[in-house]
Amino acid sequence: DAGVIQSPRHEVTEMGQEVTLRCKPISGHDYLFWYRQTMMRGLELLIYFNNNVPIDDSGMPEDRFSAKMPNASFSTLKIQPSEPRDSAVYFCASSPQYAVNYGYTFGSGTRLTVV
Amino acid sequence: SQQGEEDPQALSIQEGENATMNCSYKTSINNLQWYRQNSGRGLVHLILIRSNEREKHSGRLRVTLDTSKKSSSLLITASRAADTASYFCATDYSGYSTLTFGKGTMLLVSP
């Protein structure tokens, strides 16, 4: 398995533009997580899915953020409109059933810069 | 915040020395995990220790857990330059099905 695949690796966009981040989890993993990493706040959980269903989106900062998982092999995180404070590294991770009993497998992340 | 907290924030040692990192957390947990993050990369799972375990080994890694003190330590023995990375502890708090990560310890191993 190629692991968790995220795209793009880097994204530079102007304030106000829409940004879409993509993630392909490991086949057979039931859980998918979106995290955001900044120096100030560390790793923050934004949202997670179980069997393609969003379970907890309480970490999504505001309505400008949305996430979908249309099928077991694909998820998107969208920011519309983007703001400079959204600049961060966004990670997708996946895990088998009973996620906390296993390690998460992380993607390489998308470094987002909003100018 | 329910984050675990790693200590120290940064650690610099020479190759061959041992590196010890600590993690403290706030409430009851089911298990605690340690991850490594190389610069510009995603996190990699290293080891998981359950709340009913006190010590666990994996290669050059040794993890201890003291639930009475709500703390854990990660020991890397005979460190190598390739061990240079940030190390994070992550906890799943009882009743929650996700991991909460600390802010990490940056380890620099010099040749």
Side-chain angles (χ1 to χ4, degrees):
Chain A
D1 201 318
V4 176
I5 299 172
Q6 292 188 246
S7 64
R9 286 278 284 141
H10 301 274
E11 177 80 37
V12 180
T13 190
E14 291 185 348
M15 181 174 62
Q17 296 297 306
E18 177 180 296
V19 175
T20 299
L21 311 181
R22 298 172 175 78
C23 175
K24 176 178 168 53
I26 290 176
S27 177
H29 279 191
D30 296 326
Y31 286 82
L32 183 140
F33 307 86
W34 283 100
Y35 281 85
R36 178 172 68 177
Q37 185 178 38
T38 60
M39 288 295 293
M40 288 295 293
R41 300 175 68 89
L43 270 161
E44 302 174 280
L45 176 66
L46 300 177
I47 185 172
Y48 79 97
F49 296 82
N50 181 20
N51 292 321
N52 313 338
V53 176
I55 303 300
D56 184 357
D57 66 354
S58 60
M60 298 285 259
E62 43 198 280
D63 292 345
R64 298 184 296 106
F65 286 69
S66 63
K68 294 181 180 180
M69 192 165 185
N71 57 63
S73 60
F74 184 65
S75 177
T76 60
L77 178 68
K78 186 177 294 186
I79 308 172
Q80 165 64 19
S82 58
E83 297 182 2
R85 59 189 168 131
D86 301 330
S87 297
V89 182
Y90 291 80
F91 288 103
C92 174
S94 70
S95 182
Q97 195 177 24
Y98 305 120
V100 292
N101 291 330
Y102 298 87
Y104 289 5
T105 301
F106 280 79
S108 295
T110 295
R111 180 174 296 275
L112 173 65
T113 303
V114 184
V115 298
Chain B
S1 169
Q2 290 183 319
Q3 286 181 337
E5 292 186 6
E6 290 90 346
D7 169 62
Q9 289 188 332
L11 181 60
S12 183
I13 60 174
Q14 299 290 316
E15 263 190 332
E17 294 180 340
N18 295 340
T20 300
M21 289 156 272
N22 303 296
C23 170
S24 59
Y25 56 92
K26 297 179 180 177
T27 63
S28 297
I29 60 172
N30 292 318
N31 66 57
L32 185 144
Q33 304 182 26
W34 285 90
Y35 287 76
R36 182 187 74 231
Q37 184 180 32
N38 291 89
S39 180
R41 311 288 296 182
L43 282 75
V44 175
H45 180 254
L46 294 177
I47 195 166
L48 179 153
I49 186 166
R50 302 190 190 284
S51 60
N52 62 354
E53 298 176 313
R54 292 297 169 258
E55 187 171 313
K56 203 162 185 178
H57 296 256
S58 176
R60 293 184 296 113
L61 305 180
R62 171 178 170 250
V63 171
T64 61
L65 179 64
D66 186 335
T67 53
S68 66
K69 295 181 179 179
K70 294 185 171 59
S71 68
S72 174
S73 67
L74 171 67
L75 169 67
I76 304 174
T77 60
S79 62
R80 306 165 182 168
D83 295 328
T84 294
S86 291
Y87 292 82
F88 296 84
C89 69
T91 49
D92 75 313
Y93 290 92
S94 299
Y96 290 83
S97 56
T98 60
L99 292 177
T100 302
F101 289 83
K103 290 192 175 180
T105 293
M106 292 180 59
L107 173 65
L108 173 63
V109 183
S110 301

